[in-house]
């Protein structure tokens, strides 16, 4: 798969490789020891350390260094072992000033007192208006501080082989009910054709589907985490996909971004893809002969609820131990809001920006040749506006995701159901929190 997809699956997306998470809820969040620091400017020249996994970020940093001789930034790519490297540095007291952290990794790192609250800097608090609202809610833990600045996101949409739908006279679905009906019609028209695939080993993708249906997996009240991974909203999503799986209307033998996945699309065996903004280059780069055959439309909705979901994305966090908070805020703000920086990050690293200014980039306002010159990023921009800002990640998300994937794989093989998988994930969440002495209870 492309480097962008690898990065997000590591950080989330494919993105998921550590023991952390993010709780960006609008209600009260758990107390955690947070380092405080002065926002006074340094006297003289300073050098900041910034660790990340984004391809081409060294060139973005070089642009900053050229313009800011007194605030130099040294960047280190840690994509091979993102959170292992970061965790070891924190334990050794040698963490960088700034580090890329996935949204779903923030809560656990906060419980480890890994961050500095940058709200002492007026520039940090003033940055709120510069970002898509739901992303700020995540990085500020519901407004309790400024622990990171949003960098990129993964608003979801539906990728459609419009030529296949047209061939069989099937309208492009706008609701999940219509999508299920289209799945039956396509398979009936061609038994070798499925509407999409369900990857049971991709909890991050499935979590994005839950997010869309307002499935609040976690909240915090009464001095403890309320765990609702197996809520009614979650089960509605699980039961929906279970019916498609049981009816053999979707493939379950493909992994996202795999050679086998591309082969299935190449052979016209699959007619759509439920994905995120960063995935647009996957088909363009791997299936060049299908140029002009794809279109991107909003996610099918649950009835009249037009909400969307997110899959992937990252932040740039203020790490404990940083000695130059004022300068870190200045660079972090530039990195994630300056149009020139955002354009370069999109061009080199494929980042879909979290900043409002980024959504106005010329590259994101033009038609994309591969997609029949359609302005596909308008779809993602609209999706981003419809993502629930109160969605929260729990403090043991990695463990929960692994439990969810294990149970989903069994369900895909006929052992149990996806609803059972949610129950297994809920039990895993409660146990993992108890094992770490994190107060938690099953919510309603």
């Amino acid at each position: 798969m492309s480097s962008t997809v690898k990065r997000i699956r590591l950080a989330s997306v494919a993105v998921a490789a550590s023991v952390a998470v993010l709780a960006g809820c609008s209600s009260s969040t758990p107390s955690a020891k947070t380092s405080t620091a002065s926002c006074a400017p340094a006297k003289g020249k300073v050098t900041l350390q910034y660790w990340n996994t984004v391809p081409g970020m060294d060139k973005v940093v070089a642009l900053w260094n050229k313009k800011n001789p007194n605030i130099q930034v040294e960047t280190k790519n840690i994509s091979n072992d993102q959170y292992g490297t970061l965790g070891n540095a924190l334990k050794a007291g040698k963490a960088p000033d700034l580090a890329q952290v996935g949204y779903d990794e923030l809560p656990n790192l906060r419980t480890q007192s890994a961050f500095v609250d940058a709200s002492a800097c007026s520039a940090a608090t003033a940055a709120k208006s510069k970002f898509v609202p739901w992303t700020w809610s995540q990085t500020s833990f519901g407004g309790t501080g400024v622990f990171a600045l949003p960098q990129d996101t993964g608003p979801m949409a539906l990728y459609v082989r419009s030529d296949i739908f047209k061939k069989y006279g099937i309208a492009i679905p706008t609701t999940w009910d219509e999508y299920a009906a289209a799945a039956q019609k396509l398979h009936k028209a061609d038994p070798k054709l499925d509407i999409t695939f369900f990857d049971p080993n991709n909890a991050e993708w499935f979590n994005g589907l839950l997010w869309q249906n307002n499935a609040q997996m976690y909240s915090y009240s009464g001095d403890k985490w309320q765990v609702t991974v197996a809520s009614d909203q979650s089960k509605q999503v699980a039961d929906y996909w279970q019916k498609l799986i049981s009816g053999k209307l979707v493939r379950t033998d493909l992994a996202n971004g795999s050679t086998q996945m591309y082969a299935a699309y190449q052979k016209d065996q699959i007619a759509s893809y439920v994905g995120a903004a960063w995935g647009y280059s996957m088909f363009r780069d791997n299936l060049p002969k299908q140029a002009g055959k794809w279109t991107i439309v909003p996610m099918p909705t649950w009835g009249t609820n037009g909400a969307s979901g997110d899959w992937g994305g990252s932040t740039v966090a203020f790490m404990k131990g940083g000695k130059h908070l004022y300068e870190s805020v200045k660079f972090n703000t530039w990195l994630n809001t300056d149009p020139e920086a955002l354009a370069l990050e999109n061009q080199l690293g494929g980042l879909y920006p979290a900043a409002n200014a980024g959504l106005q980039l010329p590259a994101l306002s033009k038609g994309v040749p591969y997609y029949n010159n359609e302005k596909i990023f308008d779809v993602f921009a609209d999706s981003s506006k419809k993502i629930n800002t109160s969605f929260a990640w729990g403090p043991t998300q990695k463990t929960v995701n692994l439990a969810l994937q294990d149970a989903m794989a069994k369900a895909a093989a006929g052992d149990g159901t996806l609803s059972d998988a949610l129950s297994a994930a809920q039990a895993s969440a409660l146990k993992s929190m108890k094992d770490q002495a994190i107060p938690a209870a099953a919510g309603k």
Side-chain angles (χ1 to χ4, degrees):
M1 71 187 74
S2 69
S3 58
T4 301
V5 178
K6 286 181 180 178
R7 179 184 62 77
I8 294 183
R9 291 197 67 169
L10 175 69
S12 58
V13 113
V15 245
S18 89
V19 289
V21 271
L22 145 79
C25 52
S26 56
S27 59
S28 300
T29 49
S31 59
K33 294 181 179 179
T34 303
S35 300
T36 56
S38 168
C39 196
K43 297 179 180 179
K45 183 177 179 179
V46 301
T47 299
L48 304 176
Q49 296 291 325
Y50 166 43
W51 295 1
N52 66 88
T53 68
V54 184
M57 189 56 76
D58 56 330
K59 293 181 174 62
V60 180
V61 170
L63 177 63
W64 164 271
N65 287 338
K66 183 178 180 180
K67 296 182 176 182
N68 298 272
N70 291 327
I71 306 176
Q72 293 291 284
V73 178
E74 295 180 353
T75 183
K76 177 180 179 180
N77 190 294
I78 56 172
S79 57
N80 288 335
D81 186 15
Q82 182 179 4
Y83 295 107
T85 301
L86 194 56
N88 290 335
L90 285 165
K91 292 177 182 178
K94 297 181 179 180
D97 300 272
L98 299 162
Q100 180 185 351
V101 176
Y103 291 106
D104 63 345
E105 301 287 349
L106 288 172
N108 186 27
L109 287 179
R110 191 188 181 197
T111 65
Q112 298 174 34
S113 303
F115 306 130
V116 170
D117 181 0
S119 58
C121 299
S122 59
T125 56
K128 177 180 180 179
S129 63
K130 299 179 183 293
F131 296 96
V132 174
W134 73 263
T135 64
W136 186 265
S137 178
Q138 299 271 303
T139 59
S140 67
F141 292 91
T144 61
V146 182
F147 305 95
L149 294 187
Q151 183 166 75
D152 70 307
T153 66
M156 299 179 75
L158 180 66
Y159 294 63
V160 177
R161 274 290 300 275
S162 53
D163 60 321
I164 293 179
F165 275 76
K166 183 177 181 180
K167 176 181 178 180
Y168 295 111
I170 300 173
I172 294 176
T174 60
T175 68
W176 285 115
D177 283 343
E178 291 176 0
Y179 191 75
Q184 292 180 325
K185 293 177 182 178
L186 286 169
H187 198 64
K188 183 177 180 180
D190 181 355
K192 295 182 180 180
L193 177 64
D194 294 292
I195 195 167
T196 193
F197 68 98
F198 183 96
D199 182 357
N201 294 306
N202 197 328
E204 294 85 5
W205 172 78
F206 190 70
N207 289 339
L209 299 178
L210 300 183
W211 194 336
Q212 183 201 21
N213 199 33
N214 195 32
Q216 300 288 357
M217 300 171 71
Y218 306 90
S219 61
Y220 193 84
S221 63
D223 296 325
K224 65 177 60 176
W225 284 93
Q226 304 297 319
V227 182
T228 52
V229 175
S231 67
D232 290 342
Q233 291 89 342
S234 293
K235 289 181 178 179
Q236 181 182 10
V237 176
D239 291 345
Y240 174 88
W241 286 94
Q242 184 62 53
K243 288 180 180 179
L244 292 179
I245 293 172
S246 298
K248 300 187 183 304
L249 298 175
V250 295
R251 295 273 293 270
T252 58
D253 59 337
L254 303 174
N256 185 69
S258 66
T259 300
Q260 293 79 9
M261 183 201 83
Y262 292 121
Y265 280 109
Q266 183 66 56
K267 296 175 183 177
D268 295 343
Q269 295 175 346
I270 305 180
S272 70
Y273 173 78
V274 182
W278 44 264
Y280 85 97
S281 62
M282 292 168 49
F283 296 96
R284 179 198 65 190
D285 297 343
N286 292 281
L287 299 171
K289 293 183 179 179
Q290 292 186 357
K293 296 181 178 181
W294 285 92
T295 188
I296 296 178
V297 299
M299 283 269 280
T301 61
W302 293 101
T304 58
N305 181 0
S308 191
D310 180 85
W311 174 21
S314 299
T315 73
V316 177
F318 300 99
M319 305 303 295
K320 181 178 68 174
K323 299 179 181 179
H324 304 290
L325 186 59
Y326 175 87
E327 289 76 17
S328 292
V329 168
K330 191 170 183 179
F331 168 70
N332 201 349
T333 303
W334 174 86
L335 181 71
N336 293 306
T337 65
D338 181 84
E340 189 174 11
L342 295 174
L344 200 56
E345 290 160 23
N346 174 260
Q347 175 188 343
L348 299 175
L351 297 186
Y352 186 76
N356 294 317
L359 302 181
Q360 305 303 318
L361 291 176
L364 300 184
S365 62
K366 299 177 181 178
V368 179
Y370 183 85
Y371 294 92
N372 206 29
N373 289 313
E374 295 175 6
K375 294 184 178 181
I376 62 171
F377 291 108
D378 288 351
V379 177
F380 293 118
D382 186 59
S383 173
S384 186
K385 296 175 183 177
K386 296 178 179 179
I387 295 173
N388 182 7
T389 62
S390 65
F391 184 87
W393 300 104
T396 58
Q397 192 68 39
K398 174 61 178 177
T399 300
V400 175
N401 280 350
L402 290 174
L404 179 61
Q405 289 174 177
D406 181 64
M408 287 198 303
K410 292 179 180 178
D415 182 6
T417 66
L418 293 180
S419 185
D420 294 334
L422 287 172
S423 297
Q426 167 105 359
S428 176
L430 291 169
K431 183 179 184 302
S432 59
M433 290 185 194
K434 180 180 180 181
D435 290 345
Q436 296 185 37
I438 300 173
K444 297 181 180 179

